[in-house]
Amino acid sequence: MVDTTAVPREPARRTISNPYLHRLQRRHFLLFDVAPIAGTAAALALIPVLPFGATEIGLLIGMWIVTGLGITVGYHRLFTHRTFTASPLTRTALAIAGSMAGQGGVVSWVAIHRRHHECSDREGDPHSPNLSGDGLRGVLRGLVHSHFLWMRRHEYPNIAHYAPDLLRDRRVVAVGRRYYTWVLVGLALPTVIGGLVHLSWTGAVSGLLWGGLVRIFVLEHIIWAINSFLHRWGTKPYDSRENSRNGGVFALLTFGESWHNNHHAFPESPTFGLQWYRLDPGFWLIRSLQAVGLVRDLKTPSADRIASKKVTA
């Protein structure tokens, strides 16, 4: 009989870094972070020759809402923090909607965000703006890193360590494996709709640009601003060990994500606004899904717990 007690198990590596992963990161960065910038510039430059009106504005706003709610309600509140329980069909729909945003596959996104919460504003945080030195130069370097450049190359959180629950969910894993397909679907839908509405190839191109690339560009920079600006500036009504801040004025634009200090203080909460009068479209959707029986078990913090973390002067 072999005595296995004499051989201590190696702890699972929390992050992975190798040339193959870095190549994948650079490719994703170019395709889904840089290309939308070029697409947005092209859309603006081509306004005089391509259709631009109610259809294009509707496609931009409509696809932005669908994919934005997929990120905040699906990727973030459901899959990362498990703030509520959803039916299998709802989980799949939210995973697909989030995938169409072009911000990474669901399992990878969750692993990266859980790593962020574990190490927030400390060594190991993949996108903190507060680790690049002091002074104006350090602030600017940190903001550029956290807002955009960190995605070019970074240590990849071990999904077996950070997202084992999702790896056991066959539906979510299946959606994640088809991530690039869902991004293409998110680009194809506005292209087809634009072409059918205008009955022209120019309408299809305009739909692709405004409902696809411009929409990805707008949503990305809204979400990235949470990582960068709201870890430096804003209000901090609740005690949290890192530098998360609230930017309530941007609540509608961010689907409630800008209540960022609230979220870090109560990461298990499905409501980021915490109070009914704080605008939180992500929570409105969760409540609506609850009303029709598609979600349940909302882990809303009690009034006493909220009060206990209130920062006092």
Side-chain angles (χ1 to χ4, degrees):
M1 182 174 178
V2 178
D3 181 11
T4 57
T5 61
V7 184
R9 292 184 63 184
E10 288 285 336
R13 294 178 59 189
R14 297 198 174 191
T15 60
I16 304 168
S17 183
N18 60 54
Y20 173 71
L21 284 175
H22 296 326
R23 285 197 298 271
L24 294 180
Q25 289 166 351
R26 286 193 297 271
R27 183 178 71 182
H28 192 278
F29 179 73
L30 293 172
L31 285 175
F32 301 122
D33 303 327
V34 174
I37 298 174
T40 300
L44 294 171
L46 293 172
I47 285 178
V49 296
L50 287 180
F52 178 75
T55 299
E56 287 68 37
I57 294 172
L59 288 172
L60 170 60
I61 294 175
M63 292 298 296
W64 165 66
I65 291 174
V66 169
T67 56
L69 289 172
I71 290 292
T72 184
V73 176
Y75 272 32
H76 197 187
R77 306 189 203 205
L78 174 59
F79 296 118
T80 301
H81 296 290
R82 296 174 287 190
T83 66
F84 60 94
T85 303
S87 70
L89 181 61
T90 303
R91 287 172 65 85
T92 301
L94 288 171
I96 290 173
S99 298
M100 290 194 296
Q103 296 186 16
V106 57
V107 178
S108 294
W109 198 101
V110 166
I112 290 170
H113 196 73
R114 288 177 179 175
R115 172 76 173 172
H116 162 64
H117 273 264
E118 179 184 68
C119 306
S120 188
D121 287 325
R122 297 179 300 178
E123 194 65 36
D125 186 343
H127 47 65
S128 172
N130 298 306
L131 303 175
S132 299
D134 299 321
L136 179 60
R137 185 174 181 180
V139 170
L140 292 176
R141 187 188 299 116
L143 287 174
V144 172
H145 165 79
S146 64
H147 189 83
F148 190 62
L149 292 183
W150 73 274
M151 291 169 284
R152 293 180 307 169
R153 185 182 186 278
H154 59 87
E155 289 189 331
Y156 182 68
N158 184 349
I159 59 175
H161 174 80
Y162 285 100
D165 52 320
L166 295 187
L167 294 178
R168 291 191 293 268
D169 188 324
R170 289 182 294 176
R171 287 172 177 260
V172 171
V173 170
V175 172
R177 285 175 176 166
R178 294 169 177 81
Y179 165 65
Y180 287 97
T181 299
W182 299 123
V183 175
L184 290 175
V185 169
L187 296 173
L189 283 174
T191 303
V192 172
I193 293 172
L196 291 175
V197 170
H198 293 290
L199 295 176
S200 68
W201 285 106
T202 56
V205 172
S206 191
L208 169 63
L209 289 174
W210 290 97
L213 296 176
V214 176
R215 177 261 306 172
I216 291 176
F217 170 83
V218 170
L219 180 61
E220 282 181 336
H221 285 275
I222 289 172
I223 297 299
W224 297 342
I226 308 298
N227 297 335
S228 56
F229 294 100
L230 290 185
H231 270 265
R232 288 207 67 96
W233 298 290
T235 62
K236 191 172 184 178
Y238 297 103
D239 181 49
S240 61
R241 61 170 174 74
E242 29 51 54
N243 200 41
S244 61
R245 305 283 168 160
N246 284 343
V249 68
F250 304 111
L252 279 179
L253 192 64
T254 62
F255 304 102
E257 290 281 327
S258 66
W259 301 112
H260 199 51
N261 171 248
N262 296 2
H263 166 57
H264 270 269
F266 306 96
E268 79 286 358
S269 174
T271 166
F272 290 176
L274 296 178
Q275 306 295 338
W276 67 266
Y277 52 84
R278 294 195 179 111
L279 302 177
D280 188 352
F283 189 57
W284 300 344
L285 175 60
I286 294 170
R287 280 293 198 194
S288 299
L289 294 172
Q290 182 188 38
V292 296
L294 293 175
V295 309
R296 63 185 188 280
D297 302 330
L298 276 63
K299 300 177 179 66
T300 307
S302 67
D304 289 343
R305 182 159 187 271
I306 292 174
S308 72
K309 299 202 76 172
K310 189 78 173 177
V311 174
T312 56

